[in-house]
Amino acid sequence: GIQVEQSPPDLILQEGANSTLRCNFSDSVNNLQWFHQNPWGQLINLFYIPSGTKQNGRLSATTVATERYSLLYISSSQTTDSGVYFCAVERGRGSTLGRLYFGRGTQLTVWP
Amino acid sequence: NAGVTQTPKFRILKIGQSMTLQCTQDMNHNYMYWYRQDPGMGLKLIYYSVGAGITDKGEVPNGYNVSRSTTEDFPLRLELAAPSQTSVYFCASSYSEGHYEQYFGPGTRLTVT
């Protein structure tokens, strides 16, 4: 199956700092999503971004599909941004139709 | 819309017991999925369904069964629970494959002792 690698595995920031999370994937994809898993375990959809750039408040994401990577930018981080950020991709063909392949996530801790 | 709902939120099973995890979506999505998340890991696909009456295995199907009799519901059955099935289980749905976003339920935390 497709390999999804996220970096860094852990990130510790002071409130107000900016950060960039990276997701590399090993094959072409139809779908790429970023999720935030909050401390209660809920998976929250951040972006659906198979290509291009999107922004939502302090968060933005860019996917360069031809180079097989995506970046998630968090600006002016807040303590509520803490949690695990997952990148997940879908190839959308054959027997794995619709399946999301997840990376292992980036654990973000924001201190006040 | 409630989105994707799962019950129960938490459950403790003894080895060898069975149970059904419930999943319901009210978005009229055709595709539904069951994933499990082990500590420190991403999610892995157990089973999925592309419509009522159609299901197929994912990456880690052993020890589980599913059925899909309606568009809305996609229950996951654990038979003869084992400690290796201790995990957090997420149900998800999407309109179709490829170019559609997947939405996740809140998860069920299962412990088998």
Side-chain angles (χ1 to χ4, degrees):
Chain A
I2 191 169
Q3 305 301 313
V4 181
E5 295 181 358
Q6 291 186 243
S7 60
D10 297 280
L11 188 58
I12 300 174
L13 300 173
Q14 191 124 31
E15 211 168 20
N18 302 329
S19 60
T20 301
L21 283 58
R22 187 176 179 101
C23 172
N24 293 333
F25 43 96
S26 61
D27 203 346
S28 58
V29 299
N30 287 336
N31 177 3
L32 187 146
Q33 292 183 235
W34 282 97
F35 297 91
H36 175 215
Q37 187 167 42
N38 64 23
W40 296 270
Q42 175 82 37
L43 280 166
I44 299 163
N45 291 38
L46 295 177
F47 293 102
Y48 166 72
I49 185 166
S51 64
T53 298
K54 290 187 178 179
Q55 179 148 12
N56 185 1
R58 296 181 295 104
L59 274 59
S60 64
T62 295
T63 297
V64 183
T66 53
E67 298 186 20
R68 299 179 185 169
Y69 73 89
S70 183
L71 302 173
L72 177 69
Y73 306 95
I74 304 174
S75 64
S76 303
S77 57
Q78 301 176 356
T79 55
T80 52
D81 295 331
S82 295
V84 183
Y85 289 79
F86 286 105
C87 167
V89 302
E90 183 207 338
R91 297 177 67 185
R93 54 175 182 256
S95 62
T96 58
L97 209 62
R99 173 195 169 175
L100 282 178
Y101 292 82
F102 281 77
R104 295 186 66 165
T106 292
Q107 173 77 56
L108 175 65
T109 303
V110 181
W111 293 98
Chain B
N1 284 354
V4 181
T5 57
Q6 293 182 236
T7 57
K9 287 187 170 54
F10 304 94
R11 183 72 185 267
I12 299 174
L13 281 182
K14 294 191 186 306
I15 294 171
Q17 287 184 322
S18 301
M19 76 165 294
T20 299
L21 281 64
Q22 302 291 346
C23 175
T24 300
Q25 54 90 12
D26 63 359
M27 297 176 281
N28 202 30
H29 284 170
N30 296 316
Y31 282 54
M32 295 186 75
Y33 315 84
W34 275 105
Y35 295 87
R36 60 176 285 173
Q37 184 183 26
D38 297 326
M41 304 291 286
L43 280 67
K44 293 186 178 180
L45 184 68
I46 305 171
Y47 269 96
Y48 67 100
S49 169
V50 302
I54 307 170
T55 63
D56 207 347
K57 296 177 181 179
E59 183 181 11
V60 289
N62 291 344
Y64 307 95
N65 278 301
V66 294
S67 59
R68 182 103 180 265
S69 57
T70 67
T71 299
E72 295 78 18
D73 300 306
F74 190 40
L76 177 72
R77 177 84 177 160
L78 277 72
E79 305 281 2
L80 298 175
S84 61
Q85 292 177 305
T86 294
S87 190
V88 181
Y89 292 84
F90 288 96
C91 179
S93 72
S94 66
Y95 179 71
S96 184
E97 82 285 358
H99 301 287
Y100 296 92
E101 197 168 353
Q102 284 192 25
Y103 294 87
F104 282 76
T108 294
R109 186 175 296 273
L110 175 68
T111 301
V112 182
T113 62

